[in-house]
Amino acid sequence: MFGFEVYQVVNFFGFVIGLAFGAIAQKKQFCFSGSIKDYILTKSTMRGSSVIVAMIVAIISTYVVSTLYEIDLQQTVYYKDNINYFSVILGGLMFGVGMMLSDGCSNRHLIKFAQGDINSLVVLVFLAIFAYATAKGLLGEVLSPITNNETLIHLSSYIGSVAMNIYFVVGVLILLLIFLVKRIKRIFSLWDGVLIGLLIAASWYVTAVIGEESMERVIELNGITFVYPTAKTMEFFTYYQISSLTFPICIVFGVLVGAYLMSKVNRKYSFGCTASMGQHKIKYNMIGGALMGTGGILAIGCTVGEGLTGMSTLAFASFLAIASIFASATVTALILNKKSKLPMCFIFEWKDNNIDYQI
């Protein structure tokens, strides 16, 4: 293909998808954890509405792409054999706590680091270390009595790796969106959710359709996710001889570049706000990163990996994961807010409310 190997083309498109994701997320500060924080602190539903729109668009566009190109999404990791739903729930709960303690999920810290928050690098390093240790190292052995527990796997088998009904899921999400936006015309301002949702489907197309032609390397079926890819990016950066450049790693690089470039134009968010406010201590970054690294592996993904990519496949496991993340994140945020330790730098409000100021 144009003189390049297929895997190189796939990697290029991975970088482009990451570039677009990073630029969009930085421009609009797209954020799962931020949407929870917004509602608790100011009752704002704008960023939460963007997240719901992204989920709806990801599900519908992925369904269209998978139908047109006969992509078997049940071959993805979200439908793995002998799934342990208890492990998924535990991972989701850990991830939710970690993302509120550290003030952002995995993709959010990539954006924050790219736009100038050096504390996010601490989170990313700990996330990568603990993700790799859980997937390939000591923590994997420590957690094995849970992850490979025959009783828990047997109980999970009563449900099995099932897909949810697309009409039911999309219908519920649309009702939730209507509740959040209050005014239908506001939906037109949620373009970030639309574009990010489409990027999920684009990822499936690149890895499944273009990647299928690869004769040099096996291209795994991948969407957009950030926990394990962040760990693999660190491995590639520090010891590239044993780690190949892959589609997920290229997405991570793309997100960093895209967010950095956009931050040069969209300078409003280009600083380490929570660090300067003195509200976010380094221990929270370390603990939060560790919890997200381990939790993200157990839950088979992060907020984007499960909330968008996983949900786009309609996997029941993804619903359990994102529900667990949301539940523990909300409880953690409420506790932090009660202790006046829930940092916020900007108000994100609907334009028709005429509120747009810094705190």
Side-chain angles (χ1 to χ4, degrees):
M1 187 178 290
F2 306 111
F4 295 97
E5 304 290 357
V6 173
Y7 74 87
Q8 294 174 321
V9 175
V10 169
N11 287 346
F12 170 76
F13 280 118
F15 180 79
V16 172
I17 288 170
L19 195 75
F21 188 106
I24 295 165
Q26 199 285 330
K27 174 65 176 176
K28 294 276 282 185
Q29 298 292 289
F30 181 89
C31 182
F32 276 79
S33 61
S35 66
I36 296 172
K37 189 166 60 173
D38 289 352
Y39 188 78
I40 290 175
L41 292 175
T42 68
K43 303 302 178 185
S44 173
T45 60
M46 189 180 73
R47 288 202 289 177
S49 297
S50 287
V51 169
I52 298 301
V53 166
M55 293 176 74
I56 293 171
V57 173
I59 292 170
I60 294 175
S61 59
T62 294
Y63 177 79
V64 171
V65 169
S66 63
T67 301
L68 286 176
Y69 296 98
E70 299 181 345
I71 302 172
D72 185 5
L73 294 174
Q74 297 209 8
Q75 296 303 309
T76 64
V77 67
Y78 306 106
Y79 289 92
K80 66 180 183 178
D81 295 331
N82 298 322
I83 193 164
N84 183 341
Y85 286 126
F86 296 91
S87 177
V88 170
I89 292 172
L90 174 62
L93 294 174
M94 293 175 67
F95 192 95
V97 173
M99 79 177 189
M100 297 315 298
L101 285 178
S102 66
D103 191 34
C105 58
S106 46
N107 77 281
R108 178 61 179 156
H109 281 292
L110 288 171
I111 302 300
K112 289 173 68 176
F113 172 56
Q115 68 184 19
D117 193 339
I118 195 64
N119 278 356
S120 286
L121 179 60
V122 176
V123 178
L124 293 170
V125 168
F126 272 79
L127 182 150
I129 291 172
F130 277 78
Y132 206 85
T134 303
K136 302 286 187 179
L138 177 62
L139 282 178
E141 294 295 322
V142 172
L143 293 169
S144 181
I146 297 175
T147 56
N148 297 315
N149 187 287
E150 292 185 4
T151 300
L152 298 181
I153 293 174
H154 178 70
L155 290 173
S156 299
S157 69
Y158 285 110
I159 299 176
S161 296
V162 296
M164 298 178 290
N165 182 280
I166 186 171
Y167 300 105
F168 175 77
V169 174
V170 172
V172 170
L173 289 174
I174 290 175
L175 290 175
L176 179 57
L177 178 63
I178 292 172
F179 171 78
L180 292 176
V181 298
K182 307 298 182 186
R183 304 170 190 173
I184 298 300
K185 66 179 182 179
R186 290 174 169 175
I187 292 177
F188 297 103
S189 67
L190 305 176
W191 55 267
D192 56 327
V194 175
L195 294 179
I196 286 176
L198 291 174
L199 289 177
I200 301 298
S203 298
W204 292 128
Y205 174 82
V206 169
T207 56
V209 180
I210 298 178
E212 187 179 29
E213 302 176 10
S214 176
M215 301 295 290
E216 307 83 14
R217 294 183 186 176
V218 175
I219 306 297
E220 295 183 1
L221 192 56
N222 275 303
I224 302 176
T225 188
F226 291 106
V227 173
Y228 192 55
T230 299
K232 294 296 289 183
T233 300
M234 177 177 284
E235 179 188 73
F236 180 82
F237 183 73
T238 56
Y239 196 18
Y240 73 91
Q241 291 95 336
I242 65 169
S243 182
S244 300
L245 188 62
T246 61
F247 179 81
I249 294 175
C250 287
I251 285 183
V252 172
F253 282 136
V255 168
L256 289 171
V257 174
Y260 174 76
L261 293 176
M262 181 58 73
S263 73
K264 295 304 174 183
V265 178
N266 188 35
R267 291 182 175 275
K268 179 178 180 179
Y269 308 112
S270 301
F271 62 96
C273 172
T274 56
S276 64
M277 292 169 67
Q279 286 183 274
H280 215 65
K281 299 189 181 298
I282 196 72
K283 67 177 181 180
Y284 287 155
N285 297 123
M286 296 164 62
I287 295 171
L291 287 172
M292 286 194 291
T294 297
I297 296 299
L298 297 180
I300 325 177
C302 55
T303 46
V304 172
E306 284 288 26
L308 296 183
T309 299
M311 283 294 290
S312 76
T313 72
L314 298 170
F316 181 67
S318 297
F319 166 74
L320 283 182
I322 197 62
S324 301
I325 291 172
F326 176 80
S328 63
T330 301
V331 172
T332 304
L334 288 170
I335 294 172
L336 290 173
N337 187 44
K338 192 173 182 179
K339 296 181 178 180
S340 299
K341 292 184 177 180
L342 191 63
M344 181 173 235
C345 302
F346 294 91
I347 296 292
F348 296 92
E349 190 52 86
W350 301 102
K351 293 300 181 182
D352 54 16
N353 277 0
N354 297 317
I355 299 176
D356 186 21
Y357 55 89
Q358 181 180 338
I359 63 173

